[in-house]
Amino acid sequence: MDKSNAVAALAALAQDNRLDVFRLLVEAGPEGMPAGEIADALDLAPNTLTFHFDRLRVAGLVSVRREGRSMIYAARYEAMNGLIAFLTENCCQGADCAPAASCKPARGKRARLPA
């Protein structure tokens, strides 16, 4: 990932609702979720959610496909991993180090960030 793509991805994630949407999609897995289920889960109005989906899609963080009358959104894991790799590329000046080696995704429950 290059710097401009990293900036676009970080900008898209730098908003509460978009970050919640993206984290929910990451949790949902590669199959994704219908837009209506996302709106219900996060208590967001559909028109507001459409705006947030567009920002995430333009940043390359989510994909969308149509299934019947439903729009299914899914996290683009390769983009997420590319962003993480970009951010940690020079961790400890490129040496193998504890922060980069211990970076493992949480399984089973969503990690909560401090308030």
Side-chain angles (χ1 to χ4, degrees):
M1 174 171 284
D2 66 20
K3 187 176 182 178
S4 64
N5 289 336
V7 168
L10 291 169
L13 294 171
Q15 197 279 339
D16 290 351
N17 292 327
R18 284 193 294 273
L19 183 59
D20 289 343
V21 167
F22 185 72
R23 293 186 72 197
L24 183 63
L25 289 173
V26 168
E27 187 177 323
E31 298 80 29
M33 290 179 73
E37 286 183 26
I38 297 167
D40 290 343
L42 299 176
D43 195 28
L44 293 173
N47 60 336
T48 300
L49 192 54
T50 299
F51 169 77
H52 294 309
F53 283 142
D54 285 345
R55 290 289 308 268
L56 292 168
R57 189 183 49 74
V58 168
L61 293 170
V62 301
S63 62
V64 61
R65 69 182 186 281
R66 180 178 290 279
E67 283 186 9
R69 293 180 6 186
S70 296
M71 300 302 284
I72 309 297
Y73 289 85
R76 293 190 62 233
Y77 293 96
E78 66 279 3
M80 178 184 72
N81 290 335
L83 179 59
I84 292 168
F86 177 84
L87 293 172
T88 59
E89 180 176 28
N90 296 317
C91 182
C92 300
Q93 299 178 1
D96 284 342
C97 63
S102 66
C103 183
K104 295 182 180 119
R107 297 282 179 189
K109 59 182 174 182
R110 290 173 65 174
R112 298 284 178 195
L113 295 176

